[in-house]
Amino acid sequence: MSGKPRLTYLNGRGRMEPVRWLLAAAGVEFEENFLETREQYQKLIQDGVLMFQQVPLVEIDGMKMVQTRAILSYIAGKYNLYGKDLKERALIDMYVEGIADLMQMILMFPFSPPEAKDKNLDSIKERATTRYFPVFEKVLKQHGQDFLVGNKFSWADVQLLEAILAVEEKVPAVLSGFPQLQAFKIKMSNMPTIKKFLQPGSPKKPPPDDCYVEKVFKIFK
Amino acid sequence: MSGKPKLHYTKGRGKMESIRWLLAAAGVEFEEEFIETKDDLEKLRNDGVLMFQQVPMVEIDGMKMVQTRAILSYIAAKYNLYGKDLKERAWIDMYVEGTTDLMGMIMFHPFQPAEAKEKNLALIIERATTRYFPVYEKALKDHGQDYLVGNKLSWADVHLLEAILMAEECKPDILSAFPLLQAFKGRTSNIPTIKKFLQPGSQRKPQTDEKFVALVRKIFNF
């Protein structure tokens, strides 16, 4: 046993990607166990290692953790990315929950029927630019600090950078009305652990393609 | 200003109900301001008090908190219902995410189109009895204690009781194969703060009916 966290999921972003981001940002090396077939997935269920018969699964510190938010909260807590007290944690939680709602739209996008894709893309753009990004632009402007909460790098910063990049993949000029977020994106991308994660050859996964969508349907029916 | 938390939501369960449960279980009195019309919601939005233009919103300790999970986590930690360390918190989080998924299905059931309702109800019952309840039954069996985590009442226990009662509203004998959950339900319902919340006249909201569905559709536009 290596002692490194071990991630079990498909070889793609999905619900595991925020976990990869957070571990990488915390400078934590991890192993990955990729699900390629339905049989593999069913075996995990039969072996009783998936609490609610679902992945993501992260084996960490002797626990077989499931449920993305639980996993992310544990990692954030363990690696001091969760603020210094209850109130900072509350802010971080509010921010990551908002970002998670935006990321959920992006997560589901490849699975929408072809005729709904344009509408869904418009929704993503609208929500990003009118509901979510303005909040973080304002936060950064008001305190003038580099990080969202407590003048210290936290889970919220990692999650926001991931969301910015994911939306930009679909809407390239999306940050045009958000100068603070543009500066934030550059600063965060240059943090050593994140810079490393953004380089080719890292565990960061590419955007979902048709092949990935097909695999999801095959494995999870 | 009363110092009590103030909850902003419609007068029904929805996403605020778990928050009412947790505050009540913690013995915390709270006030409620009900959104009755679209204008009420617009006013909150225009006043800039809803971070992401959404409710639930809870005014607590000088913050205007939004996002159900963030609010619940804060309350749990503040009132010592979140375990004693990081690992207990991890277990509580995992358990709560499971009951959240189950209650989410039940919450959306009244909003399903008529032709999908029967099939959806069957799915809820299947998930409750094959995916979720077995996990909590086993947890209680494995350690033989009264509470899910750390031999102490936590957010996970309150959430599970809420989920059990909601599931029973879907199928009254849904716990028939789960003796430990039946005992858990009996014990936890008798905890004084929870017993009080379960009595008529408390701030617990009734089951969602057609009238509430119509109101929600009108106010939130869906």
Side-chain angles (χ1 to χ4, degrees):
Chain A
M1 199 178 76
S2 70
K4 291 183 196 170
R6 190 164 181 256
L7 280 49
T8 297
Y9 201 70
L10 286 79
N11 191 355
R13 290 183 183 175
R15 295 190 183 283
M16 189 62 99
E17 195 71 352
V19 177
R20 298 182 183 107
W21 266 90
L22 193 57
L23 285 169
V28 178
E29 280 183 33
F30 54 90
E31 292 174 358
E32 298 203 70
N33 174 30
F34 296 121
L35 291 182
E36 299 284 340
T37 66
R38 185 162 171 77
E39 289 67 42
Q40 246 182 303
Y41 172 55
Q42 284 173 324
K43 181 170 193 303
L44 283 174
I45 293 175
Q46 273 150 36
D47 289 348
V49 299
L50 302 178
M51 186 185 279
F52 301 113
Q53 299 143 22
Q54 297 165 314
V55 284
L57 166 69
V58 174
E59 295 168 80
I60 183 168
D61 297 339
M63 295 182 288
K64 291 176 168 47
M65 287 200 74
V66 297
Q67 294 288 349
T68 314
R69 272 181 191 82
I71 296 164
L72 290 167
S73 290
Y74 181 76
I75 296 166
K78 181 175 177 176
Y79 295 100
N80 295 311
L81 295 168
Y82 219 162
K84 72 177 195 301
D85 58 27
L86 214 53
K87 281 206 169 172
E88 285 193 353
R89 220 168 83 194
L91 271 178
I92 290 167
D93 278 341
M94 284 191 272
Y95 295 160
V96 301
E97 286 295 306
I99 295 165
D101 284 348
L102 176 60
M103 291 298 281
Q104 176 73 5
M105 297 175 81
I106 294 173
L107 183 90
M108 298 308 294
F109 180 78
F111 302 94
S112 43
E115 61 273 16
K117 282 210 153 77
D118 279 344
K119 184 169 159 245
N120 287 340
L121 188 57
D122 283 344
S123 288
I124 290 170
K125 183 181 179 185
E126 201 233 328
R127 282 284 151 90
T129 55
T130 64
R131 179 172 284 193
Y132 297 107
F133 288 170
V135 173
F136 304 108
E137 180 79 6
K138 185 176 178 204
V139 165
L140 292 169
K141 185 162 192 205
Q142 279 186 337
H143 60 44
Q145 292 160 5
D146 285 353
F147 306 107
L148 285 170
V149 179
N151 207 12
K152 187 168 178 279
F153 186 52
S154 79
W155 172 20
D157 301 300
V158 182
Q159 200 83 79
L160 178 57
L161 177 63
E162 182 191 357
I164 284 171
L165 297 181
V167 177
E168 276 186 333
E169 277 172 353
K170 304 202 128 26
V171 187
V174 74
L175 285 194
S176 59
F178 303 100
Q180 299 283 337
L181 292 182
Q182 290 173 36
F184 174 86
K185 174 192 161 189
I186 292 168
K187 262 179 243 157
M188 293 303 118
S189 301
N190 277 309
M191 293 190 65
T193 49
I194 294 182
K195 189 170 186 172
K196 191 173 167 200
F197 188 64
L198 290 173
Q199 274 156 6
S202 85
K204 184 173 185 275
K205 300 294 175 276
D209 57 13
D210 288 337
C211 189
Y212 176 73
V213 172
E214 223 181 278
K215 201 171 266 185
V216 171
F217 282 126
K218 192 178 78 170
I219 295 177
F220 299 113
K221 289 214 155 46
Chain B
M1 200 178 76
S2 71
K4 291 182 196 171
K6 193 177 190 197
L7 280 49
H8 295 262
Y9 203 66
T10 38
K11 194 174 185 181
R13 290 183 181 175
K15 288 184 188 286
M16 189 62 97
E17 193 71 353
S18 295
I19 294 167
R20 297 182 184 108
W21 266 90
L22 192 57
L23 284 169
V28 178
E29 281 183 33
F30 56 91
E31 291 173 357
E32 300 198 75
E33 198 170 289
F34 297 116
I35 295 165
E36 285 166 346
T37 64
K38 228 175 173 163
D39 286 346
D40 290 341
L41 179 62
E42 280 316 302
K43 182 172 192 306
L44 285 172
R45 286 173 169 164
N46 292 332
D47 288 349
V49 298
L50 304 179
M51 186 183 280
F52 303 113
Q53 320 306 325
Q54 296 164 314
V55 286
M57 190 269 273
V58 173
E59 297 180 71
I60 184 168
D61 297 339
M63 297 182 286
K64 289 175 172 49
M65 286 200 73
V66 297
Q67 293 290 346
T68 312
R69 270 180 194 82
I71 296 164
L72 288 166
S73 290
Y74 181 78
I75 295 166
K78 182 178 176 178
Y79 296 103
N80 295 308
L81 295 167
Y82 219 164
K84 71 179 196 295
D85 57 25
L86 212 56
K87 279 205 170 174
E88 285 195 352
R89 222 168 82 193
W91 281 101
I92 291 167
D93 278 342
M94 283 191 273
Y95 289 148
V96 162
E97 288 296 303
T99 37
T100 297
D101 284 349
L102 176 59
M103 285 199 275
M105 293 177 79
I106 300 174
M107 194 192 317
F108 279 108
H109 178 68
F111 295 89
Q112 300 281 341
E115 62 274 15
K117 275 205 159 82
E118 208 182 305
K119 193 165 159 228
N120 191 243
L121 184 61
L123 183 64
I124 289 169
I125 293 166
E126 196 218 327
R127 284 281 155 86
T129 54
T130 65
R131 177 174 287 192
Y132 296 108
F133 288 164
V135 172
Y136 305 99
E137 181 81 5
K138 181 174 191 285
L140 293 170
K141 186 168 190 196
D142 284 351
H143 59 45
Q145 292 163 2
D146 283 355
Y147 305 107
L148 284 171
V149 178
N151 208 14
K152 187 171 176 280
L153 180 73
S154 77
W155 172 19
D157 302 297
V158 181
H159 217 241
L160 176 59
L161 177 61
E162 184 189 358
I164 284 171
L165 296 181
M166 277 184 87
E168 281 183 331
E169 282 168 351
C170 293
K171 186 176 192 285
D173 64 348
I174 204 169
L175 283 193
S176 59
F178 304 101
L180 294 180
L181 290 183
Q182 290 174 38
F184 172 87
K185 174 193 161 192
R187 273 193 317 268
T188 315
S189 302
N190 275 309
I191 292 173
T193 49
I194 293 178
K195 189 172 186 173
K196 190 171 166 199
F197 187 64
L198 290 172
Q199 273 157 5
S202 82
Q203 284 159 300
R204 186 174 180 226
K205 298 297 173 278
Q207 232 177 318
T208 296
D209 59 12
E210 305 239 333
K211 203 170 140 210
F212 184 66
V213 170
L215 181 69
V216 169
R217 283 197 194 282
K218 198 171 85 169
I219 294 175
F220 297 103
N221 249 10
F222 74 96

